[in-house]
Amino acid sequence: MASSSEASTKAALALFLIALGGRFWWIHLAGSSLPLWDQWIGDFGLLKLAARHALEAKDLATHHNEHLLLGERLITLGLFHMSGRWEPRDGLVLSALLRALSLVLAFRLLAPPEEGLRRGLLILLALLGALPLGTFNLLSAFQVQFFLHESLGLLALAFLAGQPLSLRSLALGGLFLLLDFWNAASAITTIAAAAAVLGLQSLIVPPIARRRTALAFGYLVLFGAAVILNTPAS
């Protein structure tokens, strides 16, 4: 009989393959090699600079609407330099891979010990991965920032609110929050969720841990305010 750890690993692998296969199928049916919407505004200008060897670090840190899009820009430049061409379909394949990995991460972090609930979560995540939900995000590689946000946000919450708070967990959680902010303005939702959990924990944890939790809560409030003040209107 398979151990609990072995069964969980097999379930995570099945989830990954279902989500990845489903997204590959939709990309095969409806994906395009033509750039879509904001790719002409964002990626085209970025790649022109790269092709002319005129790309500077500041070009990676400019806002596109409210987002910084560092992750999407690095992925686009990496694919461009590896293949020598601008092929949006390559980005769709990588985006599908990242989406499947984010769902596996969600399963590993959120799966409850009860077998029935674990199976329910597995089915729900498999459906989210395989069905054509969020069609534009599915068919535009430019939207990869939202799949990166899912993983970075989950990791930040796991370190900040999913375990006893320590200097290590605060540092790692803060790092993932910072990466999430550089990736997309959606990081504000992660900051709000972590602050809400820490705020409630500060009311119930033992006095010895209350000050540390309250300080972490204050840090998140200040970080959230900084994100809002430094994010231009869309």
Side-chain angles (χ1 to χ4, degrees), residues 7-203:
S8 181
T9 299
K10 289 181 177 179
L13 178 59
L15 172 60
F16 174 78
L17 294 175
I18 291 170
L20 187 64
R23 298 187 84 78
F24 279 173
W25 178 248
W26 293 115
I27 291 170
H28 170 71
L29 288 179
S32 173
S33 294
L34 290 175
L36 297 176
W37 291 86
D38 287 350
Q39 285 181 297
W40 288 109
I41 303 171
D43 291 346
F44 183 61
L46 188 74
L47 294 175
K48 279 201 304 183
L49 292 174
R52 295 171 182 169
H53 304 286
L55 186 67
E56 300 180 10
K58 65 180 179 63
D59 298 315
L60 298 176
T62 57
H63 279 92
H64 178 86
N65 296 330
E66 69 272 24
H67 304 293
L68 285 172
L69 300 183
L70 179 61
E72 189 277 334
R73 288 169 178 155
L74 292 176
I75 288 172
T76 299
L77 288 170
L79 292 173
F80 177 71
H81 283 293
M82 283 191 292
S83 66
R85 59 197 173 93
W86 185 23
E87 176 52 80
R89 192 178 282 265
D90 293 345
L92 288 181
V93 171
L94 185 57
S95 182
L97 177 63
L98 291 172
R99 173 57 162 163
L101 289 173
S102 74
L103 291 172
V104 170
L105 178 63
F107 178 71
R108 298 293 274 188
L109 291 176
L110 302 176
E114 296 82 2
E115 184 63 24
L117 294 177
R118 180 183 293 265
R119 289 182 180 179
L121 177 63
L122 182 65
I123 293 171
L124 175 62
L125 293 174
L127 290 173
L128 287 174
L131 293 177
L133 304 173
T135 310
F136 187 66
N137 290 351
L138 169 64
L139 297 177
S140 174
F142 194 76
Q143 303 299 95
V144 70
Q145 77 258 18
F146 293 111
F147 305 136
L148 290 171
H149 162 64
E150 289 175 354
S151 294
L152 292 170
L154 280 170
L155 288 169
L157 288 172
F159 281 108
L160 290 172
Q163 58 182 276
L165 199 60
S166 64
L167 183 60
R168 174 181 175 274
S169 64
L170 181 60
L172 288 173
L175 174 61
F176 285 120
L177 274 183
L178 187 60
L179 292 174
D180 198 11
F181 166 63
W182 283 338
N183 168 68
S186 311
I188 192 65
T189 60
T190 307
I191 296 170
V197 173
L198 287 175
L200 292 173
Q201 286 180 346
S202 67
L203 301 176

